[in-house]
Amino acid sequence: MENKKTKANDVESLFEQRLATNFTLIKDLFFSLYPENQHKKSFKRLLTTLPELFKNRPSSLKSMDIDRVKKGNWYMSQELVGMQLYVDHFNKDLKGLEKKLGYFEKLGVNFVHLMPITPRPKGENDGGYAVNSYHKVDPRYGTQEDLLSLTQKMRDKNMYLMLDFVANHTSDEYPWAKKAVAGDLKYQGYYHIYPDRTIPDEFETTLPEIFPMTSPGNFTYNAEMQKWVMTVFNPYQWDLDYSNPMVFIEMLGNLTKLADLGVDVVRLDALAFMWKKLGTESQNLPEAHTLISLFRMCLQVIAPGVVFLAEAIVAPKEIIKYFGSGRMMGNECEIAYNATLMALLWDAIATKKAVLLYKNIKSLPEKPKESTWINYIRCHDDIGLGFEDHHIHELGWNAVSHRKFLLDYYCQNIDWSPAKGHMFMYNPKTGDGRITGSAASLLGLEMALEQNDQAKIDQSIAKIIMMHAIILSYGGVPLIYAGDEIGTLNDYSYLEDNDKKEDGRWVNRPFQDWNTIAQIDSGNNHQTQIFLTLQHLIKLRKSYHAFADKNQVILYEAHNPHFFIYERPLGKNNGILVVCNFDEVPQTIYENALGTYGSENNVIDLISGEQPVFVNGTLKLDPYEILWLSKNNIE
C-alpha cells in the first residue's frame, strides 16, 4: 500500500515539475493569442483546468507517460509500421477489429490509424469528420468499453493507436451548435456567426473554396438563428472561433478526454484552418501555429506520452512549419504527413522520371531533430498536386500544363495511361483538381487484370512494391492504407449509396477482402505476391537501425533521370542505399553514382539477399525495381 502511495506521489510530483517547467511558455503563448489586459480570468481558468484534467487521466496511462518520457522519441523508431483504415470497412466494428490484431502482427503492422469512430450526423458527414462528440463512440462501431478493451489489448501487444481530433470545426448537431441555434449567445460566441452578410462577404474576397463543386462559398445561412455561420468545409461543419479563449480551454478538455481513452497519437485534423483573419486565406496563419503550440505544451503537461500528428496537406514550405519554427522549433507537432513526398512519387510514376522529386526534396528545410514524418503513398483522401510552381518551371516545364497532364494521366483522359483513377473537385476556373483511386488501380493493376495481360500485371505489381518499399525505407513512419497490402482495386459500390455517391473519394476506401486474405499463404496470385513481399520488407525494416529516423536521408545524384537514390547512413559501414528505377524499361546507372556502395565493397541487396551484378562499371535495374544495398551483410 505504501509503495502504491509513493508511486502516486511521484507521478503527482512529476506533473508539478512539468507544469512549472512549461508555465512561462504556456503563459506567453496564451497571452500572445488572448491579450493579457482582457483575458487574465481566462488564464486563471486554464491554470485550474490543467490539474483537473491530469487528475482524471487513468493511472495506468500516467505510468505509461513516464516510461515514454524516459525512453524518449519512441515515435521515431524503425520498428513502427502503420496502417490506416475505416473500422466498418475493415471488419464491421471495434470488436471485429480487435479480433484481427493478429492480422496486423502477421503483416508486421503495430501502429493503427482508425478513421473517425465518434458519433456524427446521419446522411452526409464528411466520412465522420462532422463531429457530434469528441470522446463517445458511434453505436455503429460499438461502445466506449469496446474502445477501451481495444486500446488495452493493443498496449499488451506493444501496438499504438492514432485517432483524429477534429479541432477546426464541429457538426451542426454538436451540443454547442444546438445551444447556439436555440439563441444562447455564449455558444454563438464559440463559432463564427454573423447577423448579416457584411463580414462574410469581406471574408469571401480572400477565402479559397475547399469543395467548390459540392460546397461553394464559406458561409451557410441558418434560418432558425437568422444568421450566417462560417462553414469552410461543408454546410454541416461549423468552424470554431478560437479567438474566444473559452473555446480553446473547452477543446483542451475534449482533447485530453480523447487521449485518456488510450490514444497514443492524436491526429490534428484541418489544423491549418484553425485561426481565421479578415484579409487573408485563413490558412497557415502564425496564430494557428501559436494555437497548436499551446495545445501541445498543455498536453505535454497532462499526458506527455501522447504526441501530435499534423494533418497539414499544404505547400511544402508550409508543411515543415508544423513541427514548430523560431523559438517554438520542435514544440508544435511531433509528426507530420509527408504530403510532398507522396505527391511527388505519383509525379515520378506518371513522368517515369524523378527530376521533380529531387528538385522539391532538395529545397525543403531540415526538420527539427525531435520530429518525424508519416510517409504514405495514399490515404483515405484524394491526391493533391501541391508542388511549388517555380520548381516545375526550373525544369523547363509549364506548371499549368504539367498539372493537366498528371490529372489526365491518372483520371483516364490519356488512352495509353494504365491508371484508372477519377477526378475529384475539379475547378474549371483554375484548372485545379485532385485524384481519387486505390493504389493498385492508379498503378495499372485494375486495367491489366481486365486485359488479362500478365506482363502488365507483373509491371503493376512491381510499381506497388516499389512505392511501398520507398515509404518503408524513407525517414519516418510508413503508413499503409488497408487493402493496399493485397492490391485491392477501386470500389465502385459507393455509387449505390445515396450518402456517399457524391463523394468520389469513397472509390479508394474499399472493404477489406477477408476471403482473399484467408488464402494468402497458399494463393498463387497478385494478392499473395504483394502481401508476402510487403511482409518481407517490413521485417527487414524493423531489423535495421539505419531505418530509424535520425534526420538522415542523403540524396545521391543519379545522372539518370529515371533513378531515385538516397542513403540511410548509420556509422561507417552500417548504412543502406536505396536505388529505384521509375521507368517502364530497364535502366543502367554508373557505379560511381552509388558512392561507396559499388562492387568493390561487395554490397548485397537486402531485399533479394543477393549481390547485385555490376557489368563494365554499370548496374542495371529492371522496370520499377528497387534495391536496398548494404555493405555489411555479406556472409
Side-chain angles (χ1 to χ4, degrees), residues 296-566:
R296 193 267 174 108
M297 300 316 297
C298 289
L299 186 65
Q300 288 299 292
V301 169
I302 300 162
V306 179
V307 298
F308 277 157
L309 166 70
E311 191 269 328
I313 313 303
V314 293
K317 65 183 180 183
E318 296 293 341
I319 291 175
I320 206 81
K321 294 178 184 178
Y322 285 93
F323 292 126
S325 55
R327 72 186 185 112
M328 295 310 297
M329 176 76 75
N331 278 327
E332 203 162 320
C333 294
E334 291 90 343
I335 314 174
Y337 281 114
N338 199 344
T340 302
L341 178 68
M342 181 273 297
L344 290 165
L345 289 176
W346 291 106
D347 179 90
I349 286 288
T351 61
K352 305 178 182 64
K353 295 177 181 178
V355 287
L356 191 59
L357 180 56
Y358 272 101
K359 266 281 184 205
N360 278 267
I361 292 176
K362 284 179 180 177
S363 71
L364 277 179
E366 194 171 278
K367 62 180 174 58
K369 291 181 180 179
E370 307 298 312
S371 57
T372 194
W373 296 110
I374 286 276
N375 295 314
Y376 61 114
I377 64 172
R378 76 171 186 95
C379 63
H380 71 289
D381 244 332
D382 51 90
I383 297 170
L385 305 175
F387 316 127
E388 302 277 5
D389 282 0
H390 68 93
H391 290 315
I392 302 175
H393 294 147
E394 286 166 9
L395 293 171
W397 302 346
N398 178 280
V400 174
S401 298
H402 185 63
R403 284 195 177 86
K404 183 179 185 305
F405 160 71
L406 293 174
L407 292 173
D408 287 344
Y409 177 90
Y410 285 112
C411 302
Q412 305 179 65
N413 289 325
I414 296 178
D415 56 9
W416 54 262
S417 169
K420 291 201 73 170
H422 299 266
M423 189 83 75
F424 182 67
M425 287 296 154
Y426 180 70
N427 189 337
K429 291 185 287 187
T430 62
D432 290 334
R434 291 170 255 170
I435 300 158
T436 63
S438 76
S441 293
L442 291 174
L443 293 170
L445 185 58
E446 183 175 345
M447 185 177 292
L449 290 169
E450 288 174 354
Q451 296 172 353
N452 196 26
D453 187 322
Q454 191 59 49
K456 290 181 179 179
I457 292 171
D458 291 343
Q459 193 166 91
S460 297
I461 292 171
K463 291 182 197 177
I464 293 167
I465 290 168
M466 182 186 73
M467 292 279 273
H468 282 95
I470 290 171
I471 65 167
L472 285 162
S473 56
Y474 206 78
V477 181
L479 189 68
I480 301 166
Y481 192 87
D484 284 356
E485 79 281 8
I486 56 171
T488 303
L489 307 179
N490 285 344
D491 180 2
Y492 301 105
S493 65
Y494 80 97
L495 293 169
E496 300 166 10
D497 187 331
N498 288 332
D499 294 334
K500 295 178 178 178
K501 66 182 181 181
E502 299 301 324
D503 187 344
R505 292 172 297 180
W506 286 104
V507 77
N508 51 246
R509 300 167 180 174
F511 288 83
Q512 194 75 343
D513 186 352
W514 292 109
N515 290 329
T516 294
I517 290 169
Q519 309 299 320
I520 209 74
D521 292 321
S522 57
N524 183 23
N525 49 38
H526 68 271
Q527 292 99 330
T528 292
Q529 186 177 347
I530 294 167
F531 180 91
L532 294 180
T533 304
L534 294 190
Q535 182 188 57
H536 172 60
L537 292 173
I538 290 169
K539 187 175 181 181
L540 281 174
R541 169 189 163 83
K542 292 183 176 183
S543 301
Y544 290 91
H545 290 288
F547 289 133
D549 191 10
K550 303 297 183 185
N551 240 37
Q552 80 302 25
V553 174
I554 300 173
L555 293 181
Y556 278 48
E557 290 292 345
H559 308 294
N560 179 328
H562 305 289
F563 278 92
F564 180 42
I565 307 175
Y566 54 93

Side-chain angles (χ1 to χ4, degrees), residues 96-115:
L97 176 66
E98 187 176 312
K99 291 175 182 176
K100 297 298 183 181
L101 292 181
Y103 175 70
F104 297 128
E105 292 178 303
K106 179 175 181 174
L107 181 59
V109 164
N110 54 9
F111 171 78
V112 182
H113 174 207
L114 306 184
M115 300 303 293

Side-chain angles (χ1 to χ4, degrees), residues 128-365:
Y129 285 98
V131 182
N132 284 0
S133 170
Y134 283 95
H135 42 83
K136 293 178 182 176
V137 174
D138 191 297
R140 77 185 75 184
Y141 304 117
T143 65
Q144 193 175 88
E145 288 70 30
D146 295 333
L147 177 58
L148 290 169
S149 173
L150 174 67
T151 58
Q152 181 60 61
K153 288 277 187 4
M154 291 182 72
R155 284 196 297 280
D156 292 344
K157 291 176 175 287
N158 294 315
M159 300 174 78
Y160 301 87
L161 178 66
M162 178 162 75
L163 290 182
D164 285 84
F165 183 63
V166 184
N168 177 70
H169 49 260
T170 73
S171 80
D172 56 2
E173 295 180 4
Y174 192 73
W176 299 346
K178 287 183 175 180
K179 290 176 182 177
V181 169
D184 191 321
L185 294 180
K186 173 185 173 181
Y187 290 100
Q188 288 186 10
Y190 278 29
Y191 300 95
H192 296 270
I193 295 177
Y194 304 99
D196 55 44
R197 285 291 309 190
T198 304
I199 294 178
D201 285 344
E202 279 191 65
F203 267 113
E204 292 286 16
T205 61
T206 54
L207 289 181
E209 294 178 315
I210 305 303
F211 299 131
M213 301 303 291
T214 57
S215 300
N218 290 276
F219 290 85
T220 298
Y221 183 70
N222 182 274
E224 286 186 66
M225 287 191 297
Q226 296 186 5
K227 293 181 179 180
W228 292 87
V229 185
M230 180 178 279
T231 55
V232 165
F233 288 90
N234 289 292
Y236 49 83
Q237 290 166 303
W238 288 18
D239 287 61
L240 290 164
D241 185 358
Y242 278 100
S243 67
N244 180 344
M246 288 309 301
V247 172
F248 167 75
I249 293 171
E250 293 219 41
M251 288 297 284
L252 178 63
N254 284 327
L255 170 65
T256 54
K257 285 177 183 177
L258 179 66
D260 289 349
L261 295 173
V263 177
D264 305 292
V265 180
V266 173
R267 179 184 181 272
L268 281 180
D269 179 69
L271 76 176
F273 299 82
M274 287 167 63
W275 197 273
K276 310 300 194 296
K277 184 188 290 186
L278 281 170
T280 74
E281 290 189 345
S282 294
Q283 294 183 38
N284 307 305
L285 294 177
E287 293 89 346
H289 288 282
T290 301
L291 181 63
I292 296 160
S293 292
L294 183 57
F295 269 120
R296 193 267 174 108
M297 300 316 297
C298 289
L299 186 65
Q300 288 299 292
V301 169
I302 300 162
V306 179
V307 298
F308 277 157
L309 166 70
E311 191 269 328
I313 313 303
V314 293
K317 65 183 180 183
E318 296 293 341
I319 291 175
I320 206 81
K321 294 178 184 178
Y322 285 93
F323 292 126
S325 55
R327 72 186 185 112
M328 295 310 297
M329 176 76 75
N331 278 327
E332 203 162 320
C333 294
E334 291 90 343
I335 314 174
Y337 281 114
N338 199 344
T340 302
L341 178 68
M342 181 273 297
L344 290 165
L345 289 176
W346 291 106
D347 179 90
I349 286 288
T351 61
K352 305 178 182 64
K353 295 177 181 178
V355 287
L356 191 59
L357 180 56
Y358 272 101
K359 266 281 184 205
N360 278 267
I361 292 176
K362 284 179 180 177
S363 71
L364 277 179

